[in-house]
Amino acid sequence: MPFKLLTLLLVSFFFIIEPAGSQTLYSITKSFVSFHSDAPLELISASSKELKGKIDINKKEFAFLVKISSFTGFNSPLQKEHFNENYLESSLFPAASFSGKIIEDIDLSADGMYTLRAKGNFTIHGISQERIIKSIIEVKNGLVNLKANFTVMLAEHNISIPKVVHEKLASEIKVEVTAVLSKQ
């Protein structure tokens, strides 16, 4: 799905006007997404601070999006180029997204630690997979801190690894997400 269409869907998802007293919309104000490939011959890590997203607690809906080209921190500029051009094909598939429903009921107006599961479509490299991703939520002084760890199997998203680099790129990528959200 083209990046402009994904962005339009994300924006339109949250422009539903609710009565003033019932707004439960939270937006990301700060984020950090990282991934790690721990292959026998090479460790690759990169990160982005450009995750965008919103959560509507009343509707138990969420949508998150990160531009693939926003990832930095590779071992070399050539590695970043291969990541964008050969593996993730960021010119064709410019974003990764995750949107869907929150399974548990949660009250973000009360300080505390919460575990919740989000069920939805995780899309990367143009391939969507239904996923349930567990998150830890800490609410403190009106700010919501979200942390999630999950893995992405490259084969499930049609990301092929040439034999020549098979020992340098893991088939299972570890992803970590942290985000601070505040009420709109």
Side-chain angles (χ1 to χ4, degrees):
M1 183 179 295
F3 180 67
K4 288 179 183 177
L5 182 57
L6 277 173
T7 303
L8 180 63
L9 287 173
L10 179 67
V11 170
S12 64
F13 181 77
F14 291 105
F15 274 109
I16 298 169
I17 305 298
E18 291 186 28
S22 67
Q23 264 191 351
T24 57
L25 197 58
Y26 290 80
S27 295
I28 291 178
T29 57
K30 185 177 178 182
S31 66
F32 185 78
V33 180
S34 64
F35 71 83
H36 307 281
S37 165
D38 193 359
L41 296 181
E42 191 162 17
L43 174 64
I44 301 169
S45 294
S47 62
S48 172
K49 293 181 179 179
E50 296 186 28
L51 178 69
K52 308 293 182 208
K54 297 185 184 278
I55 298 173
D56 185 321
I57 293 302
N58 276 357
K59 295 179 181 178
K60 296 172 70 171
E61 296 175 340
F62 66 89
F64 297 101
L65 179 95
V66 64
K67 284 177 53 178
I68 299 300
S69 63
S70 70
F71 283 91
T72 61
F74 295 88
N75 296 334
S76 70
L78 182 60
Q79 194 175 70
K80 180 177 180 173
E81 181 180 322
H82 287 170
F83 168 79
N84 279 293
E85 292 179 9
N86 302 342
Y87 302 113
L88 275 289
E89 299 176 279
S90 60
S91 62
L92 295 173
F93 311 107
S97 63
F98 184 48
S99 61
K101 294 278 194 176
I102 298 169
I103 296 172
E104 286 78 22
D105 291 326
I106 185 169
D107 177 7
L108 297 182
S109 66
D111 285 2
M113 296 284 286
Y114 308 95
T115 300
L116 66 82
R117 293 169 297 152
K119 181 178 182 179
N121 288 319
F122 176 76
T123 304
I124 192 165
H125 196 242
I127 306 292
S128 292
Q129 294 285 328
E130 186 174 74
R131 300 282 306 264
I132 295 177
I133 297 178
K134 186 171 128 180
S135 300
I136 304 298
I137 303 287
E138 180 183 14
V139 180
K140 189 172 184 181
N141 300 324
L143 291 179
V144 176
N145 294 291
L146 177 142
K147 293 182 182 182
N149 297 308
F150 58 96
T151 59
V152 175
M153 301 298 293
L154 297 182
E156 290 180 353
H157 295 279
N158 200 25
I159 302 169
S160 57
I161 305 170
K163 283 191 176 192
V164 70
V165 294
H166 191 266
E167 293 292 311
K168 291 185 172 190
L169 186 60
S171 60
E172 180 177 313
I173 306 299
K174 296 176 183 170
V175 178
E176 297 177 27
V177 177
T178 60
V180 177
L181 297 100
S182 60
K183 195 171 186 176
Q184 284 191 321

